[in-house]
Amino acid sequence: MEEKEISQAVVSRLPRYFRYLGELKDEGIERVSSQELSDIMRVTASQIRQDLNNFGGFGQQGYGYNVGYLYDEIGKILGLNKEHRLIIIGAGHLGQALVNYMNFERRGFIFKGIFDIDTQLHGTQIRGIAVRPMQEMEQFVRENDIDIAVLTIPKSSAIEIAEQLVSYGIKGIWNFAHVDLHVPKGVQVENVHLSDSLMKLSYNLVSRKG
Amino acid sequence: MEEKEISQAVVSRLPRYFRYLGELKDEGIERVSSQELSDIMRVTASQIRQDLNNFGGFGQQGYGYNVGYLYDEIGKILGLNKEHRLIIIGAGHLGQALVNYMNFERRGFIFKGIFDIDTQLHGTQIRGIAVRPMQEMEQFVRENDIDIAVLTIPKSSAIEIAEQLVSYGIKGIWNFAHVDLHVPKGVQVENVHLSDSLMKLSYNLVSRKG
DNA sequence: TAGATTGTTAATCGATTAACAATC
DNA sequence: TAGATTGTTAATCGATTAACAATC
């Protein structure tokens, strides 16, 4: 199930296909051609067909794509049919925002634990999930089969915490700390560098781009 | 000041250069060669030189780059020498997290106002900034010379609110709503689609990539 | 069958890397 | 001057788009 390596450019577009197909599905639309999808999504029909054909022939000549089927298949490709078990490190506003965002749970991303260094928070709950001291992290990760850790902590501690998590067996890190993490092969890091994003917006504003 | 259009691929890398140069500066390092920077940042020296030369010759043959100077120049390119005036629409956890993140302010991104539909929140303050009713948005934007609006609202209302904001003269939208906004030329949208990011991580986990 | 639209190959475009002459 | 390293051109690589034969 991994013949050729798929480029991250393609992977980055999959969630967007998934979203638009979900919307079409909700509207009760059963079939869609690459050209129709192209018009809605404002990408070329050619790119849509190329992207999808990385994963298999989901369409049918003369017909197009079955919306529900394609939606489900992309969901599977994205691993949304499997349950992911997450912990959050850092119970600040950002951590809380993520825990409270129900849609992740709907997609199979289950928040199992929250950890923070602040002893005042220990024992309090966020959406029914207790905030625990950092010391319990290792045991919790191992006992609850956690595969993803979300880092909503300052950059100063992120590298060290990430190393610990990897040693506990974490396979994926969703990193909101403004630092680059270097992890061993087999561990995935997905960065959300908010200040980089804001700076990009700033650049495009001052450069008076199109 | 806009001879050739710079590709977004290059722009996306600028904040990262800026971050590493800031760290070198803090360490008191005065000069750096593209090769040294390459080793630290794990990109090719060639790419660094190409990227920088889109904006001018900041280096000196036989010497390399002056850290402080290059840091300042990239800051200017990113528009961080100019003050940006922001409002946040949506005072939920995510909105609060952003308002409370001091580092944005340090870079010249000043939060001037917060708006929310929830009447219960009106008059309350977040880090000294009052939460206002949506009805006051237009006047506030015009009177306070707001150039960036941050959308931390559900996707259901995002498109409509974005349209309003554009009509009030907003030039940049930092969009956290999970929907694609279509804005007129001259208005910049920078998307932060958190669920897309999480799905990408999920894909890389299940595809057992490197 | 005729029409539509995919899957896929070929062509183009753009981005990255390599190489080296210019120059500090 | 000799050595180092940039700025920049040329080569390569990868991603996107176009084209069309395959086929439903």
Coordinates of all heavy atoms in Angstrom, one line a residue, chain A residues 50-87:
Chain A
Q50 N -5.1 14.0 -12.1 CA -3.7 13.5 -11.7 C -3.6 13.1 -10.3 O -3.1 12.1 -9.9 CB -2.7 14.6 -12.0 CG -2.4 14.8 -13.5 CD -1.4 13.8 -14.0 OE1 -1.2 12.7 -13.4 NE2 -0.7 14.1 -15.1
D51 N -4.1 14.0 -9.4 CA -4.0 13.8 -8.0 C -4.7 12.5 -7.6 O -4.2 11.7 -6.9 CB -4.7 15.0 -7.2 CG -3.8 16.2 -7.2 OD1 -2.6 16.1 -7.6 OD2 -4.2 17.3 -6.7
L52 N -6.0 12.4 -8.0 CA -6.7 11.2 -7.6 C -6.1 9.9 -8.1 O -6.1 8.9 -7.5 CB -8.2 11.3 -8.1 CG -9.0 12.5 -7.6 CD1 -10.4 12.6 -8.1 CD2 -9.0 12.4 -6.0
N53 N -5.6 10.0 -9.4 CA -5.0 8.8 -9.9 C -3.7 8.3 -9.3 O -3.2 7.3 -9.6 CB -4.8 8.9 -11.4 CG -6.1 8.6 -12.2 OD1 -6.9 9.4 -12.4 ND2 -6.2 7.3 -12.4
N54 N -3.2 9.1 -8.4 CA -2.1 8.7 -7.5 C -2.5 7.5 -6.6 O -1.7 6.7 -6.2 CB -1.5 9.8 -6.6 CG -0.6 10.7 -7.4 OD1 0.4 10.3 -7.9 ND2 -1.0 12.0 -7.4
F55 N -3.8 7.5 -6.3 CA -4.3 6.6 -5.4 C -5.2 5.5 -6.0 O -5.6 4.5 -5.3 CB -5.1 7.3 -4.3 CG -4.3 8.4 -3.6 CD1 -4.4 9.7 -4.0 CD2 -3.4 8.0 -2.6 CE1 -3.6 10.7 -3.4 CE2 -2.6 9.0 -2.0 CZ -2.7 10.3 -2.4
G56 N -5.5 5.6 -7.3 CA -6.4 4.6 -7.9 C -7.4 5.3 -8.8 O -7.6 6.5 -8.8
G57 N -8.0 4.5 -9.7 CA -9.0 5.0 -10.6 C -10.4 5.0 -10.0 O -11.1 4.0 -10.0
F58 N -10.7 6.1 -9.4 CA -12.0 6.3 -8.7 C -13.1 6.6 -9.6 O -14.3 6.6 -9.1 CB -11.8 7.3 -7.5 CG -10.7 6.9 -6.5 CD1 -9.7 7.8 -6.2 CD2 -10.8 5.7 -5.9 CE1 -8.8 7.5 -5.3 CE2 -9.8 5.4 -4.9 CZ -8.8 6.3 -4.7
G59 N -12.8 7.0 -10.8 CA -13.9 7.5 -11.6 C -14.3 6.5 -12.7 O -13.8 5.4 -12.7
Q60 N -15.1 7.0 -13.6 CA -15.6 6.1 -14.6 C -15.8 7.0 -15.9 O -16.4 8.1 -15.9 CB -17.0 5.6 -14.2 CG -17.4 4.4 -15.0 CD -18.6 3.7 -14.4 OE1 -19.7 4.3 -14.5 NE2 -18.4 2.5 -13.9
Q61 N -15.2 6.5 -17.0 CA -15.2 7.3 -18.2 C -16.7 7.6 -18.6 O -17.5 6.7 -18.5 CB -14.5 6.6 -19.4 CG -13.0 6.7 -19.3 CD -12.4 5.5 -18.7 OE1 -13.0 4.8 -17.8 NE2 -11.2 5.1 -19.1
G62 N -16.9 8.8 -19.1 CA -18.2 9.1 -19.5 C -19.2 9.5 -18.4 O -20.3 10.0 -18.7
Y63 N -18.8 9.2 -17.2 CA -19.7 9.4 -16.0 C -19.2 10.5 -15.1 O -19.8 11.4 -14.7 CB -19.9 8.1 -15.3 CG -20.7 8.2 -14.0 CD1 -22.1 8.2 -14.0 CD2 -20.0 8.2 -12.8 CE1 -22.8 8.4 -12.8 CE2 -20.7 8.3 -11.6 CZ -22.1 8.4 -11.6 OH -22.8 8.5 -10.4
G64 N -17.9 10.3 -14.7 CA -17.3 11.1 -13.7 C -17.0 10.4 -12.5 O -16.6 9.2 -12.5
Y65 N -17.2 11.0 -11.3 CA -16.9 10.4 -10.0 C -18.2 10.3 -9.2 O -19.0 11.3 -9.2 CB -15.9 11.2 -9.3 CG -14.5 11.3 -10.0 CD1 -14.3 12.3 -10.9 CD2 -13.5 10.3 -9.8 CE1 -13.1 12.4 -11.6 CE2 -12.3 10.4 -10.5 CZ -12.1 11.4 -11.3 OH -10.9 11.5 -12.0
N66 N -18.4 9.2 -8.5 CA -19.5 9.1 -7.6 C -19.0 9.9 -6.3 O -18.0 9.5 -5.7 CB -19.8 7.7 -7.3 CG -20.9 7.5 -6.2 OD1 -20.7 7.7 -5.0 ND2 -22.1 7.2 -6.7
V67 N -19.8 10.9 -5.9 CA -19.4 11.8 -4.8 C -19.2 11.0 -3.5 O -18.2 11.1 -2.9 CB -20.5 12.9 -4.6 CG1 -20.2 13.7 -3.4 CG2 -20.5 13.8 -5.9
G68 N -20.2 10.2 -3.1 CA -20.1 9.5 -1.9 C -19.0 8.5 -1.8 O -18.2 8.5 -0.8
Y69 N -18.8 7.8 -2.9 CA -17.7 6.9 -3.0 C -16.3 7.5 -2.9 O -15.5 7.2 -2.1 CB -17.8 6.0 -4.3 CG -16.6 5.1 -4.5 CD1 -16.4 4.0 -3.7 CD2 -15.7 5.4 -5.5 CE1 -15.4 3.1 -3.9 CE2 -14.6 4.5 -5.7 CZ -14.5 3.4 -4.9 OH -13.4 2.6 -5.2
L70 N -16.2 8.6 -3.7 CA -14.9 9.3 -3.7 C -14.6 9.9 -2.3 O -13.5 9.9 -1.8 CB -14.9 10.4 -4.8 CG -13.6 11.1 -5.0 CD1 -12.4 10.1 -5.3 CD2 -13.7 12.1 -6.2
Y71 N -15.7 10.5 -1.7 CA -15.5 11.1 -0.4 C -15.0 10.0 0.6 O -14.1 10.3 1.3 CB -16.9 11.6 0.1 CG -16.9 12.1 1.5 CD1 -16.5 13.4 1.8 CD2 -17.5 11.4 2.5 CE1 -16.6 13.9 3.0 CE2 -17.5 11.9 3.8 CZ -17.1 13.1 4.1 OH -17.1 13.6 5.3
D72 N -15.6 8.9 0.6 CA -15.2 7.8 1.5 C -13.8 7.4 1.2 O -13.0 7.1 2.2 CB -16.1 6.6 1.4 CG -17.5 6.9 2.0 OD1 -17.7 7.9 2.7 OD2 -18.5 6.1 1.7
E73 N -13.4 7.2 0.0 CA -12.1 6.8 -0.4 C -11.0 7.8 0.1 O -10.0 7.4 0.6 CB -12.0 6.5 -1.9 CG -12.8 5.3 -2.4 CD -12.3 4.0 -1.7 OE1 -11.1 3.8 -1.7 OE2 -13.2 3.3 -1.2
I74 N -11.3 9.0 -0.2 CA -10.3 10.0 0.3 C -10.2 10.0 1.8 O -9.1 10.2 2.3 CB -10.6 11.4 -0.3 CG1 -10.5 11.4 -1.8 CG2 -9.7 12.5 0.3 CD1 -10.8 12.8 -2.5
G75 N -11.3 9.9 2.4 CA -11.3 9.7 3.9 C -10.4 8.6 4.3 O -9.6 8.8 5.3
K76 N -10.5 7.5 3.7 CA -9.6 6.3 4.0 C -8.2 6.7 3.8 O -7.3 6.3 4.6 CB -10.1 5.1 3.2 CG -11.3 4.4 3.7 CD -11.5 3.1 2.9 CE -13.0 2.9 2.7 NZ -13.3 2.0 1.6
I77 N -7.9 7.3 2.6 CA -6.5 7.6 2.3 C -5.9 8.5 3.4 O -4.8 8.4 3.8 CB -6.5 8.3 0.9 CG1 -6.8 7.4 -0.2 CG2 -5.1 9.0 0.7 CD1 -7.2 8.0 -1.5
L78 N -6.8 9.4 3.9 CA -6.3 10.4 4.9 C -6.3 9.7 6.3 O -5.9 10.4 7.3 CB -7.2 11.6 5.0 CG -7.1 12.6 3.8 CD1 -8.2 13.6 3.8 CD2 -5.7 13.3 3.9
G79 N -6.7 8.5 6.4 CA -6.7 7.8 7.6 C -7.8 8.2 8.6 O -7.7 8.0 9.8
L80 N -8.9 8.7 8.0 CA -10.0 9.2 8.9 C -10.9 8.0 9.3 O -11.8 8.2 10.1 CB -10.7 10.3 8.2 CG -9.9 11.5 7.7 CD1 -10.7 12.5 7.1 CD2 -9.1 12.1 8.9
N81 N -10.7 6.9 8.7 CA -11.5 5.7 9.2 C -10.9 5.0 10.4 O -11.5 4.2 11.0 CB -11.6 4.7 8.0 CG -10.2 4.3 7.5 OD1 -9.2 5.1 7.6 ND2 -10.0 3.1 7.0
K82 N -9.6 5.4 10.7 CA -9.0 4.9 11.9 C -9.1 5.9 13.0 O -9.1 7.1 12.8 CB -7.5 4.7 11.6 CG -7.2 3.6 10.5 CD -5.8 3.0 10.7 CE -5.5 1.9 9.7 NZ -5.2 2.5 8.4
E83 N -9.2 5.4 14.3 CA -9.2 6.3 15.4 C -7.8 6.8 15.8 O -6.9 5.9 15.8 CB -9.9 5.6 16.6 CG -10.1 6.5 17.8 CD -10.8 5.8 18.9 OE1 -12.0 5.5 18.8 OE2 -10.1 5.6 20.0
H84 N -7.6 8.1 16.0 CA -6.4 8.6 16.5 C -6.6 9.0 17.9 O -7.6 9.6 18.3 CB -5.9 9.8 15.6 CG -5.4 9.4 14.3 ND1 -4.3 8.7 14.0 CD2 -6.0 9.6 13.1 CE1 -4.1 8.5 12.7 NE2 -5.2 9.0 12.1
R85 N -5.6 8.7 18.8 CA -5.7 9.0 20.2 C -4.7 10.1 20.5 O -3.5 9.9 20.3 CB -5.5 7.7 21.0 CG -6.5 6.7 20.6 CD -6.1 5.3 21.1 NE -6.2 5.1 22.5 CZ -7.3 4.8 23.2 NH1 -8.5 4.7 22.5 NH2 -7.3 4.7 24.5
L86 N -5.2 11.2 21.0 CA -4.3 12.4 21.1 C -4.1 12.8 22.6 O -5.0 12.6 23.4 CB -4.9 13.6 20.4 CG -4.8 13.6 18.8 CD1 -5.8 12.6 18.3 CD2 -5.1 15.0 18.3
I87 N -3.0 13.4 22.9 CA -2.9 14.2 24.1 C -2.4 15.6 23.7 O -1.8 15.8 22.7 CB -1.8 13.6 25.1 CG1 -0.5 13.4 24.4 CG2 -2.3 12.3 25.7 CD1 0.6 13.0 25.4

